[in-house]
Amino acid sequence: SFKKDFRNMRAMILAAGFGKRLLPVTKKIPKPLLKVGESTLIHNNIRFLIESGFSEIIINVSYLGKMIKKHIDELFPNQNIVFSFEEKPLGTGGGILNALDLLGDKSFLLMNADIYHKIDLNYLPQEVEAAHLIGVPNPEHNLDGDFNLAKDIVQINQGSNHLTWSGISVMNPSIFKENNFKDNYFDLWNTVLPSYINSGLVTGQISSDLWLDVGTPERLKLANTVYNE
């Protein structure tokens, strides 16, 4: 199997959310520190990025952020991991905007902290004009999907769509620099990407590798079931 060289590409993990759908568990434990098998979600995802060849990782944290930082510092003392602190969570778009200085000018890999997956990153482009999304077949909790692909161009239907965004993508930081956002808190999917999708500038690919969104107690349980099989 071929391996891309990601050493010069940065990766960012989004880990700042409250995890409201996982209450009461997330009152004391931030969502990225919930466990699938023996390891926390964020441990799995950092390890996965390192194994894929990424050497520089940025993580945005806010809610219970010190706990997340302590956990990661203990597990990866020698890894180049930088934290972007947010006083209160800034949303998926605001979190990236806030971390732009750490991300640099080149396209970077973006990953949600609350997914459990084995998605092969070797097929990802390393440079994108706007963004490139990995889609997965719609899971039961998102049957209407998020987008479709026409060849490799992302399109969104009014009704239902065949693919769900995996929470893994490649982003060009320029899409944050060429927009004026009204405030610091905003979402990537609804605020940043639509104009680029409408212009046909967002590409995508499908992965049928193992992927689970671990956003609710049921799905956390499911991830642990899959892990133990």
Side-chain angles (χ1 to χ4, degrees), residues 163-182:
L163 297 170
T164 290
W165 186 16
S166 63
I168 302 175
S169 48
V170 178
M171 295 278 153
N172 187 324
S174 66
I175 66 177
F176 293 88
K177 295 172 185 165
E178 53 197 36
N179 286 293
N180 291 317
F181 301 104
K182 288 188 197 60

Side-chain angles (χ1 to χ4, degrees), residues 17 34 47 50 64 70 74 149 153 158 170 208 222 228:
L34 296 176
R47 194 169 50 199
I50 293 167
L64 299 180
K70 181 172 181 279
E74 283 168 7
L149 288 177
I153 304 293
Q158 283 306 317
V170 178
S208 48
L222 176 66
N228 289 318

Side-chain angles (χ1 to χ4, degrees), residues 1 18 45-46 68 70-71 76 84 90 94 103-104 106 108 113 129 138 144-145 150 153 159 171 189 199 211:
S1 69
F18 286 116
N45 283 325
I46 293 171
I68 298 173
K70 181 172 181 279
H71 174 71
F76 300 101
S84 173
L90 296 172
L103 289 164
K106 286 203 198 119
F108 61 93
E129 192 172 347
N138 293 340
D144 285 341
I153 304 293
M171 295 278 153
W189 186 252
S199 311
W211 173 87

Side-chain angles (χ1 to χ4, degrees), residues 13 41-49 111-113 115 117:
I13 299 178
L41 284 165
I42 201 151
H43 181 187
N44 281 326
N45 283 325
I46 293 171
R47 194 169 50 199
F48 188 83
L49 287 171
M111 185 180 283
N112 291 349
I115 52 175
H117 69 96

Side-chain angles (χ1 to χ4, degrees), residues 1-68:
S1 69
F2 84 108
K3 249 183 121 43
K4 256 193 189 159
D5 184 356
F6 287 116
R7 280 173 304 187
N8 297 323
M9 193 175 176
R10 290 175 185 167
M12 178 169 184
I13 299 178
L14 296 172
F18 286 116
K20 286 185 181 129
R21 291 174 304 169
L22 280 154
L23 284 168
V25 182
T26 43
K27 256 198 142 37
K28 294 193 175 73
I29 304 168
K31 187 160 62 168
L33 298 194
L34 296 176
K35 283 191 167 181
V36 174
E38 300 301 301
S39 309
T40 61
L41 284 165
I42 201 151
H43 181 187
N44 281 326
N45 283 325
I46 293 171
R47 194 169 50 199
F48 188 83
L49 287 171
I50 293 167
E51 283 167 8
S52 299
F54 289 86
S55 58
E56 199 172 334
I57 301 171
I58 292 113
I59 301 172
N60 73 324
V61 290
S62 182
Y63 175 67
L64 299 180
K66 289 193 177 112
M67 271 178 85
I68 298 173

Side-chain angles (χ1 to χ4, degrees), residues 104-160:
D105 296 324
K106 286 203 198 119
S107 297
F108 61 93
L109 180 95
L110 183 68
M111 185 180 283
N112 291 349
D114 60 349
I115 52 175
Y116 177 70
H117 69 96
K118 300 257 191 289
I119 289 180
D120 187 348
L121 303 179
N122 282 305
Y123 299 94
L124 280 173
Q126 286 169 300
E127 283 292 328
V128 295
E129 192 172 347
H132 179 90
L133 313 179
I134 297 183
V136 293
N138 293 340
E140 282 188 4
H141 59 85
N142 194 33
L143 289 174
D144 285 341
D146 299 319
F147 65 90
N148 288 319
L149 288 177
K151 294 208 167 122
D152 63 345
I153 304 293
V154 169
Q155 298 180 334
I156 298 178
N157 278 351
Q158 283 306 317
S160 63

